[in-house]
């Protein structure tokens, strides 16, 4: 169900509040542009600064706007296991097709702690779960052995791998087989990740270039490597520009240039600097997104 270009949705704000109308219009645009899947309330969606009510509402709005046309993988992770269980249960009740659960940040659990955290969520919420392994943000790295152990649980179905370690998908593939869905969490290495055993990317850049990102993944799936590599090269400067400063400030500025949302972020994040804006604008122009 989950493959290709899956967008890590930004959460539009207006005057400090979630802009529900802009968000649903954004989701509808993503679907029309060919995005293969939707992830609300991930890191790009500024989930750490959403209240529980806001978090749940954004998931509901996404599912409603998607209208069953593409699957929704709701972000539901937390460094509190009880909180992650509550968010995952809500995602199931709201109609999400899966949950994306990040490794517990700040707590720095052991590998056994990671296993027990995910097992507790698995046992409490009847919903397919993707492990979100992002050491750069969470300061903990789930090992291949721990992931393979979790993959034996029926509802642990895949991973969003944001380690940027291209040896990982191949090594995990040897342990768990192809039924375990491996998705890249790094736009810049999305095709290389596929070559190592992945089947798609949960993408930040897809917020502003969904048609290009989905076309690249479609070309790869069809075996049209020439076109896939061409699109990779078109997208490469965009990927770089999305991370010139802490995400999602750059991608929100990019979205504002396209009239999709404001560039408003919540503290402790701040809007993109002038230098970052220049880099984003230049990359978007080079990719043909701006004239």
């Amino acid at each position: 169900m989950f493959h290709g270009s899956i967008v890590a949705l930004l959460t539009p704000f207006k005057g400090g509040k979630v802009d529900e109308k802009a968000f649903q219009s954004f989701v509808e645009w993503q679907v029309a542009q060919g995005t293969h899947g939707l992830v609300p309330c991930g890191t790009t969606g500024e989930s750490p600064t959403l209240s529980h009510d806001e978090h749940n509402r954004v998931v509901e709005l996404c599912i409603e706007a998607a209208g069953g046309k593409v699957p929704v993988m709701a972000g539901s992770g937390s460094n509190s296991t009880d909180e992650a269980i509550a968010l995952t249960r809500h995602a199931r009740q709201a109609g999400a097709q899966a949950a994306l659960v990040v490794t517990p940040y700040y707590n720095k659990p052991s590998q056994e702690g990671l296993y027990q955290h995910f097992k507790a969520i698995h046992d409490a919420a009847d919903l397919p779960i993707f492990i979100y392994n992002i050491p750069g943000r969470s300061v903990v790295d789930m090992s291949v052995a721990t992931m393979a152990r979790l993959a034996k649980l029926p509802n642990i179905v895949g991973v969003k791998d944001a380690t940027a370690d291209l040896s990982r998908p191949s090594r995990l593939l040897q342990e768990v087989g192809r039924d375990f869905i491996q998705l890249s969490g790094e736009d810049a290495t999305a095709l290389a990740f596929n070559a190592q055993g992945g089947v798609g990317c949960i993408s930040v850049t897809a917020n502003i270039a969904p048609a290009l990102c989905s076309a690249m993944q479609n070309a790869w799936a069809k075996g049209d490597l020439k076109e896939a590599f061409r699109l990779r090269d078109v997208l490469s400067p965009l990927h770089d520009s999305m991370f010139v400063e802490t995400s999602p400030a750059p991608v929100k500025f990019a979205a504002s240039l396209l009239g999709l949302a404001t560039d408003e972020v919540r503290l402790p994040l701040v809007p993109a600097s002038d230098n970052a804006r220049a880099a984003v604008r230049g990359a978007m122009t080079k990719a043909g997104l701006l004239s």
Side-chain angles (χ1 to χ4, degrees):
M1 179 182 293
F2 288 97
H3 68 277
S5 179
I6 303 164
V7 60
L9 292 163
L10 57 80
T11 303
F13 297 129
K14 189 174 182 180
K17 298 184 181 299
V18 174
D19 188 339
E20 296 190 359
K21 183 177 179 180
F23 180 68
Q24 289 204 305
S25 294
F26 184 58
V27 169
E28 291 166 358
W29 178 72
Q30 284 285 332
V31 174
Q33 289 286 304
T35 287
H36 300 117
L38 305 162
V39 178
C41 298
T43 308
T44 310
E46 295 175 79
S47 57
T49 61
L50 297 177
S51 70
H52 289 173
D53 286 345
E54 287 175 327
H55 186 121
N56 291 341
R57 178 62 175 156
V58 168
V59 170
E60 292 164 2
L61 289 167
C62 180
I63 293 166
E64 181 181 293
K69 295 176 182 177
V70 298
V72 174
M73 182 193 302
S76 62
S78 172
N79 64 339
S80 162
T81 303
D82 286 345
E83 184 175 281
I85 287 171
L87 293 172
T88 305
R89 282 176 168 167
H90 174 268
R92 176 179 56 78
Q93 292 164 1
Q97 282 70 47
L100 180 65
V101 178
V102 69
T103 50
Y105 40 87
Y106 189 76
N107 300 6
K108 296 182 71 174
S110 66
Q111 293 299 310
E112 181 61 24
L114 287 172
Y115 177 82
Q116 294 299 338
H117 174 79
F118 279 89
K119 185 178 185 298
I121 300 166
H122 170 278
D123 292 348
D126 185 20
L127 187 68
I129 292 170
F130 283 78
I131 299 161
Y132 181 12
N133 194 31
I134 181 166
R137 292 255 189 181
S138 65
V139 201
V140 63
D141 184 7
M142 184 181 289
S143 69
V144 169
T146 300
M147 203 169 295
R149 187 181 172 201
L150 282 167
K152 295 176 182 178
L153 302 176
N155 270 346
I156 304 290
V157 300
V159 60
K160 175 185 178 181
D161 185 329
T163 65
D165 178 356
L166 289 174
S167 73
R168 292 287 288 259
S170 178
R171 287 190 286 128
L172 185 60
L173 180 64
Q174 300 306 311
E175 296 290 331
V176 300
R178 292 194 178 276
D179 288 342
F180 193 74
I181 302 167
Q182 296 197 64
L183 302 168
S184 172
E186 296 284 341
D187 273 299
T189 58
L191 284 189
F193 189 91
N194 283 355
Q196 290 287 87
V199 296
C201 180
I202 296 179
S203 168
V204 173
T205 303
N207 278 282
I208 58 161
L212 288 173
C213 289
S214 63
M216 184 187 75
Q217 290 286 342
N218 288 340
W220 174 268
K222 293 175 183 176
D224 187 350
L225 300 186
K226 182 177 180 181
E227 178 65 2
F229 294 155
R230 184 189 72 82
L231 290 165
R232 176 201 61 190
D233 295 343
V234 169
L235 284 164
S236 182
L238 273 179
H239 300 328
D240 291 341
S241 73
M242 293 301 97
F243 293 94
V244 289
E245 290 180 352
T246 303
S247 183
V251 75
K252 279 198 155 180
F253 172 66
S256 74
L257 293 179
L258 298 176
L260 299 169
T262 72
D263 67 345
E264 186 176 334
V265 293
R266 281 184 173 172
L267 289 170
L269 299 183
V270 293
S273 68
D274 288 345
N275 287 341
R277 289 172 184 242
V280 168
R281 193 186 297 271
M284 291 177 71
T285 301
K286 187 174 182 179
L289 301 181
L290 296 175
S291 57

